[in-house]
């Protein structure tokens, strides 16, 4: 039986991955070892039947090297610290990673099985050992617009995102909930006194959000009752790194590299106060005129998880929301219509669970592809 080491099993992505592996009975196919950067030596949580009892040290290259496959959901700083040292000491197993650090490396392949399963299989057959999950919004965009990419219909696309707090990690999601609690308690106290008008409540809550007392160690600014129109570091061209990833990663996933045309993709990435699920609004420029019925069919039939939502208020406000999609593998796409700016311009809106199709599920499918090959 192959030995699979999991690093970052208790973070946001790691927890969801553990849940998916359990649900699909994948744990039966290998022996699991859990690594931690903070709890090594302690008893490992009981996550599956066939597992090592104690948590291993995630920085111990020797224990890591004993694994046939490493799956890391620990983050970029961790990958930067261990990956090259592991390779240097001759680790020849598979490295499957959720972090962005290695994505654009030549030896790494970005995994999104429903879109590029054939390319991933070819890479395995050729001996590649490094596979990385894509950026969450990028993977969700590709799942949503799979049908149009597959038909080669997209000239360019913009994606304006509305990204959940949990996209930044477990501590950030906890911080959003604590901010919500602070706001809720202040509002509750003020509203209990009938002499306070709504503007008194508004002013007091805003003052609280701007005060030192407001909890913001992770995000640095208020997110509850607000939004943050910047994610990740600044690139030289004025994009944020999150925005830069869209074109770079999507084209790599689609195999548009070397002399092949790169599909231009750009937009503004925004953090909002949703707990889970990233949403995005698309403006899609098609390279030819296609009737709207065909566009809807192409989008809705592209893979087993995408589905179209009729462009009506009722279903859009109930089914095309983070609350509805959270915890599911479903990728609803709605608001599909031709735009006033021209016949080849299509509007769309999609929601996807960034912890599932945006992170854990491509890693789970990759792990299975690798196991089938071994
Ligand atoms: N979050 C997403 O939606 C998402 C989507 C796509 C890709 N990614 C990428 O996946 C990687 C992991 O992201 P993540 O969001 O899963 O990170 P995370 O929730 O911050 O977890 C990472 C590590 O933080 C430690 N940790 C410290 N305090 C914790 C707490 N209160 N609860 C849980 N873990 C805690 C754990 O390590 P120890 O057990 O070793 O202490 C955990 O493995 C990153 O590179 C990220 O960019 C994330």
């Amino acid at each position: 039986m192959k030995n699979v080491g999991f690093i970052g099993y208790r973070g946001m992505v790691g927890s969801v991955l553990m849940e998916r592996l359990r649900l699909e009975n994948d744990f039966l196919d290998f022996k699991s070892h859990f690594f931690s950067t903070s709890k090594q030596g302690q008893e490992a949580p009981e996550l599956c039947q066939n597992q090592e009892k104690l948590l291993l040290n995630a920085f111990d290259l020797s224990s890591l090297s004993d694994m046939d496959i490493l799956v890391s959901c620990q983050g970029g700083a961790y990958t930067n610290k261990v990956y090259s040292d592991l390779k240097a000491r001759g680790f020849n197993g598979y490295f499957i990673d959720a972090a962005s650090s290695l994505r654009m490396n030549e030896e790494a392949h970005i995994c999104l099985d429903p879109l590029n399963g054939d390319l991933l299989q070819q890479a395995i057959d050729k001996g590649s050992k490094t596979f990385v999950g894509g950026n969450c919004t990028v993977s969700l965009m590709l799942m949503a617009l799979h049908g149009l990419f597959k038909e080669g219909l997209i000239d360019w696309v913009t994606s304006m995102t509305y990204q959940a707090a949990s996209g930044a990690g477990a501590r950030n999601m906890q911080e959003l909930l604590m901010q919500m609690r602070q706001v809720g308690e202040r509002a509750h106290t003020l509203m209990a006194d009938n002499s306070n008008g709504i503007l008194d409540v508004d002013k007091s809550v805003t003052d609280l959000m701007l005060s030192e007392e407001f909890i913001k160690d992770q995000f640095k600014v208020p997110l509850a009752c607000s939004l943050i129109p910047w994610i990740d570091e600044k690139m030289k061209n004025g994009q944020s790194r999150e925005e830069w990833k869209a074109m770079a990663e999507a084209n790599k996933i689609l195999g548009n590299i070397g002399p092949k045309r790169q599909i231009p993709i750009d937009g503004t990435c925004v953090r909002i106060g949703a707990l889970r699920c990233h949403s995005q609004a698309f403006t899609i420029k098609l390279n030819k005129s296609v009737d709207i019925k065909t566009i809807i069919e192409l989008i809705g039939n592209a893979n087993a998880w995408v589905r179209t939502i009729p462009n009506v208020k009722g279903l859009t406000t109930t089914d095309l929301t983070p609350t509805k999609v959270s915890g599911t593998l479903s990728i609803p796409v709605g608001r599909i219509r031709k735009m006033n700016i021209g016949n080849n311009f299509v509007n769309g809106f999609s929601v996807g669970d960034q912890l599932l199709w945006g992170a854990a599920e491509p890693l789970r499918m990759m792990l299975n592809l690798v196991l089938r090959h071994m």
Side-chain angles (χ1 to χ4, degrees):
M1 225 179 205
K2 298 296 174 194
N3 290 299
V4 180
F6 293 98
I7 310 120
Y9 67 91
R10 75 178 181 117
M12 292 287 350
V13 175
S15 306
V16 173
L17 178 61
M18 295 304 117
E19 212 172 76
R20 287 293 300 142
L21 290 168
R22 240 189 336 255
L23 266 174
E24 299 290 341
N25 289 323
D26 292 324
F27 277 125
L28 301 176
D29 299 336
F30 47 84
K31 175 155 192 194
S32 300
H33 307 254
F34 297 100
F35 290 78
S36 174
T37 62
S38 62
K39 297 173 182 291
Q40 52 271 26
Q42 295 180 24
E43 213 162 292
E46 265 186 51
L47 292 165
C48 55
Q49 283 171 342
N50 195 12
Q51 71 170 80
E52 198 56 49
K53 294 277 173 280
L54 294 182
L55 289 172
L56 297 165
N57 179 354
F59 295 111
D60 178 14
L61 297 177
S62 165
S63 319
L64 291 166
S65 298
D66 288 341
M67 301 296 126
D68 300 296
I69 305 171
L70 288 169
V71 181
S72 175
C73 305
Q74 186 63 26
Y78 174 78
T79 300
N80 290 338
K81 199 166 164 54
V82 303
Y83 179 77
S84 44
D85 288 349
L86 257 181
K87 287 281 171 191
R89 88 194 297 282
F91 173 66
N92 195 31
Y94 289 89
F95 195 83
I96 302 176
D97 196 5
S100 64
S101 319
L102 306 171
R103 280 185 201 140
M104 300 313 289
N105 285 15
E106 210 174 323
E107 86 267 21
H109 301 267
I110 307 182
C111 39
L112 187 57
D113 189 288
L115 271 287
N116 68 353
D118 50 344
L119 295 178
L120 297 173
Q121 190 58 59
Q122 283 168 25
I124 294 176
D125 293 342
K126 283 187 188 156
S128 295
K129 296 277 171 91
T130 305
F131 296 92
V132 188
N135 168 266
C136 37
T137 38
V138 176
S139 297
L140 294 173
M141 171 186 64
L142 290 173
M143 290 294 290
L145 304 182
H146 186 180
L148 303 181
F149 281 110
K150 196 158 56 173
E151 289 298 310
L153 283 172
I154 297 186
D155 191 11
W156 55 253
V157 59
T158 71
S159 158
M160 305 298 175
T161 74
Y162 307 77
Q163 301 184 215
S166 56
R171 281 159 287 196
N172 293 62
M173 180 164 150
Q174 283 165 350
E175 182 169 282
L176 172 66
L177 290 165
M178 288 190 290
Q179 289 186 353
M180 285 172 165
R181 180 181 167 173
Q182 279 185 296
V183 167
E185 282 174 351
R186 173 69 63 96
H188 180 72
T189 308
L190 289 163
M191 288 191 299
D193 178 349
N194 284 337
S195 67
N196 286 315
I198 192 66
L199 290 185
D200 299 317
V201 179
D202 169 42
K203 178 160 186 339
S204 181
V205 167
T206 305
D207 287 346
L208 168 69
M209 286 164 59
L210 293 171
S211 73
E212 286 303 312
E213 186 189 331
F214 205 59
I215 299 165
K216 47 183 180 299
D217 298 336
Q218 303 299 323
F219 284 115
K220 311 298 175 204
V221 289
L223 178 61
C225 298
S226 189
L227 57 77
I228 310 173
W230 193 285
I231 299 175
D232 212 334
E233 62 198 37
K234 186 172 187 226
M235 305 297 286
K236 281 198 188 113
N237 66 357
Q239 284 180 304
S240 69
R241 180 170 285 280
E242 187 80 356
E243 290 151 7
W244 172 85
K245 286 172 184 171
M247 181 165 167
E249 290 188 20
N251 279 290
K252 182 164 178 175
I253 291 170
L254 294 167
N256 297 334
I257 43 177
K260 289 197 183 163
R261 177 180 181 265
Q262 300 266 302
I263 300 172
I265 306 172
D266 203 350
T268 301
C269 290
V270 179
R271 184 78 65 199
I272 60 157
L275 293 181
R276 192 164 158 172
C277 283
H278 292 347
S279 309
Q280 36 198 326
F282 304 117
T283 296
I284 307 153
K285 163 88 184 337
L286 300 180
N287 47 30
K288 64 179 184 190
S289 178
V290 181
D291 65 85
I292 198 71
K293 186 167 168 284
T294 306
I295 291 168
I296 292 170
E297 277 170 13
L298 285 173
I299 292 177
N301 295 332
N303 58 58
W305 300 273
V306 71
R307 65 193 172 95
T308 54
I309 304 288
N311 189 25
V312 295
K313 184 175 177 183
L315 279 173
T316 300
T317 55
T318 54
D319 287 16
L320 199 57
T321 61
T323 316
K324 181 74 183 216
V325 175
S326 194
T328 75
L329 288 161
S330 174
I331 308 276
V333 188
R335 304 309 324 273
I336 306 172
R337 62 179 175 83
K338 290 282 181 95
M339 300 178 85
N340 283 341
I341 41 183
N343 193 37
N344 291 0
F345 291 83
V346 178
N347 185 70
F349 189 90
S350 179
V351 183
D353 189 321
Q354 95 287 353
L355 289 163
L356 284 163
W357 273 120
E361 195 61 6
L363 299 184
R364 190 187 72 80
M365 290 183 106
M366 193 67 232
L367 174 60
N368 278 310
L369 265 188
V370 165
L371 283 165
R372 279 202 291 275
H373 176 83
M374 291 176 91

